[in-house]
Amino acid sequence: MGTTLVHVISALLLVASVNIQGIEGTVGVNYGTVADNLPPPAEVAHFLLENTIINRVRLFDANPEILEAFAHTGIAITLTVPNNEIPQLTNLSFAQQWVTANITPHFPATNIVRILVGNEVISSASKLLITSLVPAMQTLHTALVAESLDHRIKVSTPHSLGILSSSSPPSSGEFRQGYDTHVLKPLLSFLRATDSPFLVNPYPFFGCSAETLDYALFRPNSGAFDDDTKFTYTNMLDGQLDAVFSALKLLDFSDLEIVIAETGWPSKGDAGQVGVDADTAAEYNRKLMQHVTSGVGTPLMPNRTFETYIFALFNEDLKPGPTCERNFGLFQPDMTPVYDIGILRPTAKANFPSYPTPQAVPVNPSPIPASGAKRWCLPKTGAKEDTLQKNLDYVCGLGMDCKPIQEGGACYLPNTVRGHAAYAMNAYYQATGRNDYACDFGGTGAITKLDPSYGSCKY
């Protein structure tokens, strides 16, 4: 596990570079595998950890090889129960077996944070799947409770915008009649009771035309005015999210967190399609990252960030449908970038000098701290785990506040010796006046000017 947490911290630091004034949001990626030319999962996990700032990955199944590949990386994994298994999952015995087979062998080495029951089930038009959805979610949660995993692993399900009967203007957002009371209300009650988010798959790409391309791409445009709220919308994503919010509010569930489970833009399409090229895809995804992490929120949900998963990690050559379906990837199967959206670590960029960088969306360089800026103390790369454990025991034994790295604390995850030692060593360094010698720890500490804080964990 040697250098794992250092790399995770580096990734988290770089995520902060796409934020505005330090407001944190989380951007992940959908790792689809409908292809016959993808690299082995172990190479993918290593690549994401070593070369990108991605710290969250969504899977469309529970592939054990992939789950094993992400062990000890700290990358947060969301996995999926395939739609065809949903009816069986309503049986508690099956749910328990599913957890035993798919979660227990990998957790906590693999940082599994969420299980999705199916994908876009309510839009499937399958009565069996739709009626089984909420009971399956409840039963799976019960199986997690039995293993004391329910506080660490949440259960939800993603929805297409097809669940809305109205979405324009955003204030008119409403769930489809029939589903609202019989399916969605129990589903939303379950999410609230288990402190789980409501997941949606908004795609401005599929909702735009030549006339609304600028609106979909966060470009300057005349906007869309909502007569009811008097808000003017300047981008389509905000309109889609607020339509979902309005529908939730209509059923008295406006308190639920909304997570963007999928969104993206293809780099290639069929003849005649507007705005389908690598530059445009890069523009959408870069501006998407900036927007969801900015803390600006939407007109109806101001001052929020949104956990967001870009679709997709790779171009997938076996996906059916039009050409665009096979070209949503950020990377080619050989892991060369299709285009630049700022997720490659600076050291990795040197390995890919020829990938296209769109001029329309310049990269904002990370600010260089002034000499008097705050500094932090972290374990050196290669520091041995037993030595770091001694550092951890020493600092906490002095009476320093180690509650954040105890179970349930803001810095408990990733639950590794290196991660906890990093927090403790820095706490000691800060408390003793940030003198260089206070970060020595027998030659295992190093000073950095980059804030290693992440999520609610503040260093």
Side-chain angles (χ1 to χ4, degrees):
M1 195 159 55
T3 61
T4 297
L5 192 79
V6 173
H7 294 135
V8 173
I9 288 173
S10 298
L12 291 164
L13 292 171
L14 284 160
V15 168
S17 72
V18 300
N19 295 341
I20 294 177
Q21 296 180 346
I23 297 173
E24 294 172 359
T26 306
V27 177
V29 68
N30 287 267
Y31 179 4
T33 56
V34 188
D36 60 6
N37 57 358
L38 299 184
E43 289 184 17
V44 175
H46 179 78
F47 174 76
L48 289 178
L49 186 64
E50 298 285 340
N51 295 290
T52 80
I53 64 171
I54 294 299
N55 65 348
R56 287 187 170 259
V57 171
R58 176 192 171 199
L59 308 177
F60 290 92
D61 53 21
N63 184 315
E65 186 182 0
I66 296 178
L67 292 174
E68 178 65 28
F70 281 94
H72 307 298
T73 63
I75 293 174
I77 301 295
T78 293
L79 52 83
T80 304
V81 180
N83 283 12
N84 62 350
E85 293 184 19
I86 292 174
Q88 294 170 278
L89 202 64
T90 61
N91 179 284
L92 181 57
S93 177
F94 181 87
Q96 290 170 330
Q97 291 171 12
W98 195 93
V99 169
T100 300
N102 296 288
I103 304 299
T104 307
H106 307 288
F107 187 88
T110 300
N111 185 22
I112 301 168
V113 298
R114 189 176 294 142
I115 303 172
L116 303 182
V117 177
N119 185 44
E120 300 187 348
V121 173
I122 294 178
S123 302
S124 70
S126 167
K127 186 175 181 180
L128 176 61
L129 292 183
I130 293 169
T131 56
S132 301
L133 179 59
V134 176
M137 294 171 68
Q138 293 168 330
T139 307
L140 179 58
H141 175 73
T142 301
L144 291 172
V145 170
E147 298 292 329
S148 300
L149 295 175
D150 54 303
H151 292 297
R152 301 280 296 278
I153 302 175
K154 300 298 181 178
V155 176
S156 191
T157 185
H159 308 276
S160 78
L161 294 188
I163 60 172
L164 300 176
S165 60
S166 174
S167 59
S168 184
S171 61
S172 72
E174 188 174 2
F175 293 122
R176 287 163 59 185
Q177 196 170 5
Y179 293 132
D180 52 358
T181 303
H182 297 102
V183 181
L184 282 161
K185 212 158 191 180
L187 190 154
L188 297 170
S189 296
F190 168 82
L191 296 180
R192 177 183 282 164
T194 58
D195 193 27
S196 300
F198 187 75
L199 277 71
V200 292
N201 299 340
Y203 278 93
F205 170 73
F206 290 116
C208 78
S209 62
E211 291 72 30
T212 58
L213 187 63
D214 288 346
Y215 183 57
L217 289 168
F218 303 93
R219 293 171 178 168
N221 63 88
S222 57
F225 185 70
D226 188 327
D227 282 321
D228 292 331
T229 61
K230 309 305 179 188
F231 286 128
T232 297
Y233 285 80
T234 58
N235 68 83
M236 189 178 293
L237 183 69
D238 279 358
Q240 292 176 335
L241 292 175
D242 275 359
V244 172
F245 174 81
S246 296
L248 290 171
K249 187 176 181 181
L250 206 58
L251 296 182
D252 296 320
F253 286 94
S254 59
D255 57 308
L256 290 181
E257 178 190 0
I258 295 174
V259 168
I260 300 173
E262 280 181 47
T263 189
W265 200 281
S267 60
K268 189 183 296 184
D270 293 310
Q273 280 192 293
V274 178
V276 186
D277 54 71
D279 279 0
T280 306
E283 182 179 3
Y284 175 78
N285 283 323
R286 179 182 291 281
K287 288 179 176 177
L288 166 77
M289 290 202 317
Q290 293 169 342
H291 187 62
V292 298
T293 64
S294 68
V296 172
T298 70
L300 293 181
M301 296 180 285
N303 308 315
R304 290 197 195 186
T305 58
F306 295 93
E307 182 182 339
T308 299
Y309 293 80
I310 297 174
F311 189 87
L313 181 56
F314 294 112
N315 284 332
E316 298 171 70
D317 66 336
L318 298 183
K319 291 198 73 174
T323 302
C324 66
E325 288 288 346
R326 292 176 288 283
N327 290 279
F328 272 87
L330 299 175
F331 294 92
Q332 302 287 3
D334 64 359
M335 293 188 284
T336 56
V338 177
Y339 47 76
D340 172 32
I341 61 168
I343 62 170
L344 282 175
R345 296 173 62 187
T347 51
K349 289 185 179 183
N351 298 326
F352 306 109
S354 60
Y355 66 87
T357 303
Q359 297 303 309
V361 192
V363 180
N364 293 321
S366 300
I368 300 173
S371 58
K374 190 172 180 181
R375 300 183 301 170
W376 292 265
C377 176
L378 297 175
K380 280 184 179 178
T381 301
K384 293 183 178 180
E385 189 170 300
D386 57 347
T387 305
L388 295 181
Q389 182 65 58
K390 291 178 182 177
N391 296 347
L392 175 61
D393 295 341
Y394 171 73
V395 173
C396 295
L398 290 175
M400 294 281 178
D401 182 13
C402 290
K403 288 181 181 178
I405 52 176
Q406 295 173 1
E407 187 163 3
C411 303
Y412 178 71
L413 295 177
N415 180 20
T416 62
V417 171
R418 181 171 285 273
H420 293 175
Y423 181 87
M425 290 164 66
N426 180 68
Y428 178 84
Y429 172 72
Q430 301 296 335
T432 54
R434 300 206 298 270
N435 295 303
D436 289 358
Y437 58 78
C439 186
D440 183 67
F441 289 98
T444 61
I447 295 169
T448 177
K449 292 181 179 180
L450 294 174
D451 185 354
S453 300
Y454 58 95
S456 56
C457 176
K458 307 300 180 187
Y459 271 63

